[in-house]
Amino acid sequence: NSLLGALGGGSPADAAAGGTLSITATNGARIPADGFSSVSASATASTASGGATADGGTILFDANNGTLEFLDSMFVDANGVGNSNSDPNNPQRGRGTGGSVTFRVRGAGGVMTLEDVFADANGSVEFDIEGGGIEPVGEGGNGFGGQITFDLLDGTFTADDLNLGSDGSGGPGGSAAFVVPDIAVAPFAGPSPSGLIPGGIVTAFALPVDPAARGGDGFGGTVVFNLDLGTGSAIVANLSVTANGFGGNGAVGDADLGLGAGDGGDGFGGTATFNAISGTLDVTNTLSVSAAGNDNLFSAQGGIGFGADGGNGGNGFGGDATFNLDGTATITATDLIVDTTGYGGSGGDGRQSFSGTFDGGPGGNGGTGTGGNAVFNNNNGTLAFATLTVTAEGQGGQGGSNLG
């Protein structure tokens, strides 16, 4: 892991870069691990002073006519976690970029045995107040997924749950104080202007959305699973290949502090590919290939406006997800899923300010959802499954409401 690097950011202290790890068994060697395993070349930015950046490192597992055995749960991380900008005078935005993870089995004597594997090359931008971080200011930083490659080129492979993810997640937006006109915060004194009821009061208006408080964008990376075992075989309980992108949430508005809400960031799916050329793969339960833009739960949300307009939801764009069976391979699975759904983020609500001085403005619009390219190719080989779902939908986000 790295907490300090020399890539990007306003200074070396604002950057982090992961290193390189390689676990290789060759020429009949055997490397066993009986207990829980954690292998990491992640990078976490150490400061948020000017929009810190982080780049994940490189990890390789290579069974080249040798044996690698991990007989308990294993977490493999080459993540890049940047920190948000907290300096209103510095336009630098945080950035997180995932690294590279490769699993490879080759040679007739290559053997890889795994249990539950969670392999990630994610890129994200975050802040952590409890860990000493400061509330972000300005537009959220962007997150870029890295690359995961799984090459089964010969030999034998066995695993329980295999989860391969290269996701990108944008950081949260942070609002800076508006200069609010006096008429917006004080009762009108003196004769009422034309059109007001005599003795009336000028009502404090809701603050508009702050364009600079928008969430960052998330870009899915690249994940490729290659099955080319020749006469070899592989058994997996569940196989998940994901390259999703998630937009960051817009800032929460607080009119008492002069803060407008922010719009959600956009999420862009990456590229997820399953290639079956030769050999046999038995997936006991679910084989899933996904490159979604956002999800339908918590990403790309417009900020709630307390005495302010609600932020608009971010947009979601599906990426490219492909299932290829083109050769002599034999694939069996219970459920087969290929998904490139694009989900729009929810708009933020407008609510009364905490002091009661400001009424909330209108809720934000929901974001747009645009499906990507979901491809199912069954050209040559043998395939058996119980259910098949291929989805390239676009789902718009729910609009916000005025709740007081």
Side-chain angles (χ1 to χ4, degrees):
N1 291 347
S2 170
L3 296 178
L4 182 64
L7 301 175
S11 69
D14 287 334
T20 299
L21 289 170
S22 179
I23 300 175
T24 303
T26 62
N27 299 322
R30 175 175 173 265
I31 301 176
D34 294 332
F36 169 85
S37 300
S38 177
V39 180
S40 178
S42 293
T44 301
S46 58
T47 173
S49 62
T53 67
D55 296 86
T58 300
I59 299 174
L60 170 65
F61 295 87
D62 191 4
N64 183 5
N65 277 313
T67 299
L68 294 179
E69 294 179 343
F70 293 85
L71 303 180
D72 203 337
S73 296
M74 179 168 66
F75 290 83
V76 180
D77 300 309
N79 301 325
V81 184
N83 272 358
S84 301
N85 179 29
S86 61
D87 183 355
N89 298 315
N90 191 333
Q92 175 83 22
R93 298 164 61 190
R95 173 186 55 76
T97 303
S100 173
V101 177
T102 301
F103 290 80
R104 183 178 299 128
V105 182
R106 50 183 169 158
V111 177
M112 187 177 291
T113 302
L114 309 173
E115 287 295 321
D116 294 337
V117 177
F118 302 88
D120 296 313
N122 300 330
S124 62
V125 177
E126 303 175 0
F127 74 99
D128 180 8
I129 293 180
E130 294 183 357
I134 306 174
E135 287 276 6
V137 173
E139 193 170 356
N142 296 332
F144 300 86
Q147 182 167 337
I148 295 183
T149 304
F150 218 100
D151 285 333
L152 303 184
L153 306 179
D154 205 346
T156 302
F157 177 80
T158 304
D160 195 357
D161 288 348
L162 193 57
N163 302 279
L164 313 176
S166 177
D167 300 337
S169 300
S175 186
F178 276 92
V179 177
V180 183
D182 291 341
I183 194 172
V185 297
F188 177 78
S192 297
S194 176
L196 290 182
I197 299 174
I201 294 177
V202 176
T203 301
F205 57 75
L207 292 180
V209 169
D210 181 358
R214 178 181 179 274
D217 296 331
F219 301 83
T222 301
V223 184
V224 180
F225 186 100
N226 293 315
L227 177 73
D228 194 7
L229 286 173
T231 60
S233 63
I235 300 175
V236 178
N238 292 284
L239 172 59
S240 174
V241 178
T242 66
N244 302 325
F246 304 101
N249 293 332
V252 173
D254 185 344
D256 293 334
L257 301 177
L259 304 177
D263 295 336
D266 296 337
F268 300 84
T271 301
T273 306
F274 174 90
N275 290 318
I277 301 169
S278 68
T280 299
L281 174 63
D282 181 11
V283 181
T284 309
N285 299 312
T286 302
L287 193 165
S288 176
V289 185
S290 171
N294 295 323
D295 56 26
N296 58 354
L297 297 174
F298 306 113
S299 62
Q301 294 183 344
I304 297 173
F306 292 96
D309 297 348
N312 299 313
N315 304 312
F317 303 89
D320 298 289
T322 302
F323 175 93
N324 273 325
L325 178 59
D326 191 1
T328 61
T330 298
I331 307 296
T332 60
T334 301
D335 302 309
L336 180 54
I337 300 170
V338 183
D339 182 19
T340 60
T341 301
Y343 299 94
S346 299
D349 295 329
R351 303 184 182 185
Q352 191 176 61
S353 66
F354 295 106
S355 67
T357 303
F358 300 87
D359 289 335
N365 297 322
T368 61
T370 304
N373 299 309
V375 179
F376 174 78
N377 289 326
N378 181 13
N379 295 328
N380 290 293
T382 302
L383 176 63
F385 54 82
T387 66
L388 171 64
T389 305
V390 181
T391 306
E393 295 180 345
Q395 297 186 18
Q398 181 174 337
S401 302
N402 177 280
L403 301 179

